[in-house]
Amino acid sequence: MSLEERVAWWMNVGTIPYDEAHNLLLHLTEQRKAEAIPDVIVAAQHPITVSFGSSKEDNQFSDQLLDKVRGVYPDASLENVRSYLATKGVQFSDTPRGGGATVFAPGQYVFYPLVDHRKITSKKLDINAFKEKVYRVLFESLQDLGVKGIQLGSQSSFETRRERRDVWTQRNGVSLKMGSKAIHITGHIARSGFALYVDEKGVEPFWMVNPCGHDASEVQVTSVEAELKRRIPAHEVYTSVRGALQRQLGYTRLIERTLEEAGV
């Protein structure tokens, strides 16, 4: 391997519970800190899971879900909501992550880069520069899949309500959200996560929450399938995301590894 070559591992772990994935990421992060492994990109999907993040004011169940809970329980306390979700086969997680309420579901393609951000930004600590790289991975991936109306040119291209800059487009005056991201940095290691809402089935469970605190009058959730009016094969998604990761994070190659090969 030449001195100029930068490689990262690509680990597709399939569909696993969100909390299990979180524990895996913590383990891999410690290995990366110790330089026992190179940068890693974990690709996953999750069973239907309502997830609350660290932005407490943006952790909101939808009124529709709360009404259903009150139809079964005396009140819509968190305990009763969790019990109701469990009866429907829906998991709940408040594992620490950035952002507010969201829902994970099969059909959302989730990617977790665990990287030394210094080698990506060429600076000791530039969180904004690293975030910009992640934003561009999201936008370029969707653009490569054929989604229109996503701009890449200027800083203002990414601006959205409350300065949140996930993946948004506009249609008939309505903001449509088709992806999300969260970034956590500890020292020189960035543990990130971003999701692309690819299949329509992956966004249907969003009725249970106000995504990141936005109610339906402010923003709606859509999918790549709905925008392009066709099913998107998995290999197209992975090809687009891998290409964007290599361009934006500066890798010459992504090497496929299994959990066993990674010593997990």
Side-chain angles (χ1 to χ4, degrees), residues 200-211:
E200 187 62 18
K201 69 177 183 180
V203 302
E204 290 171 353
F206 268 103
W207 69 266
M208 294 184 286
V209 302
N210 293 337

Side-chain angles (χ1 to χ4, degrees), residues 9 67 94 104 127 133 155 177 180-181 208 213 225 236 240 247 249 253 263:
W9 285 356
D67 286 343
D94 56 2
F104 295 103
I127 297 175
K133 294 286 189 181
Q155 187 76 8
K177 178 180 170 74
S180 60
K181 61 87 190 74
M208 294 184 286
E225 180 182 356
E236 288 189 26
S240 294
R247 287 189 298 272
L249 304 192
R253 286 189 298 149

